[in-house]
Amino acid sequence: MVARVLLADDHAAVRAGLRMLLDSADDIEVVGEAADGVEAVERARELRPDVVVMDIRMPRKDGIAAAAELHGVADVLVLTSYGDDANVFDALRAGASGFLLKDADAETLVEAVRTIARGDGLISPAVTRGLIAEFARSRPAYAPIAVDGAGLANLTPRETEVLALIGEGMSNAEIAGELGMAEATVKSHVTRVLAKLGLANRVQAAIFAREQGR
């Protein structure tokens, strides 16, 4: 499967660099570019990419607002500087599937796009645990993650365990090792958790789990 990618950044040089890196991978194709959030939403709806690689700070419409409009259209991978851009927390709450530091190397960027294209959230234990912890302490601009109350009550004990481990920033492989089950089984549990709670992706599940103190 070839992952189709849309690049959204207001700097043409950044887009050119990203295109060069991603097009070098056999399983990734850059299908379009956008110079601001409005264009990103329009192009995503037109091209239906698998992943939108999105900057946060762009003219006309920022990456947070754009991500919020792309539910069901494409998964969003936010590129940001973690130490400087606190808006990343609101981007994840708005439905972005993951984030990556702008100083990431080429291999990390390519693998991040592959991860998001597979439908997984970019939950890197080395980085995202700190992100989620900081998010839980920060004052969000968006309302708390809302879930289906009936779905929450209907989680099985195993699904509740999986949700808690997602909240700790664990990958499917790590959860499988922790609970002694196959990674494919974990993926099925994650899918059911998201469906029951009405959440867009595992990043929202992780944030929700932290908010609930699970």
Side-chain angles (χ1 to χ4, degrees):
M1 170 185 158
V2 175
R4 302 174 72 254
V5 176
L6 172 70
L7 303 176
D9 195 291
D10 58 330
H11 293 96
V14 172
R15 296 198 307 273
L18 291 173
R19 177 182 282 273
M20 180 178 65
L21 290 174
L22 295 176
D23 275 343
S24 68
D26 293 338
D27 56 348
I28 297 175
E29 176 188 5
V30 176
V31 297
E33 299 182 14
D36 59 52
V38 171
E39 188 179 6
V41 173
E42 291 174 350
R43 296 286 281 163
R45 288 174 174 164
E46 172 192 353
L47 297 171
R48 294 286 169 165
D50 300 301
V51 180
V52 178
V53 178
M54 182 104 69
D55 190 17
I56 286 282
R57 294 177 176 172
M58 295 185 292
R60 295 207 293 168
K61 187 190 297 289
D62 64 31
I64 297 171
E69 293 187 32
L70 292 178
H71 292 179
V73 177
D75 289 322
V76 175
L77 171 62
V78 171
L79 282 178
T80 187
S81 298
Y82 172 66
D84 300 327
D85 201 343
N87 285 332
V88 68
F89 307 131
D90 294 329
L92 295 178
R93 186 184 294 279
S97 294
F99 83 97
L100 191 66
L101 302 183
K102 278 196 168 180
D103 60 359
D105 59 30
E107 182 179 355
T108 300
L109 172 62
V110 169
E111 189 55 39
V113 169
R114 288 171 176 154
T115 298
I116 300 300
R118 287 196 302 265
D120 292 329
L122 191 64
I123 305 294
S124 171
V127 178
T128 309
R129 284 173 182 154
L131 170 69
I132 295 171
E134 179 62 25
F135 177 89
R137 293 193 297 270
S138 69
R139 181 182 64 82
Y142 285 71
I145 296 289
V147 303
D148 184 328
L152 182 60
N154 287 332
L155 291 182
T156 67
R158 183 62 87 186
E159 289 165 354
T160 300
E161 286 182 300
V162 169
L163 176 60
L165 295 177
I166 291 174
E168 292 180 15
M170 287 191 178
S171 65
N172 284 355
E174 290 176 314
I175 294 173
E178 179 72 18
L179 300 181
M181 62 176 63
E183 188 172 345
T185 303
V186 173
K187 187 173 182 179
S188 295
H189 282 308
V190 172
T191 299
R192 286 195 292 271
V193 167
L194 297 181
K196 287 183 178 181
L197 299 183
L199 296 173
N201 52 54
R202 69 183 293 136
V203 176
Q204 286 194 345
I207 294 168
F208 171 73
R210 292 301 295 254
E211 288 178 339
Q212 298 300 308
R214 291 177 180 274

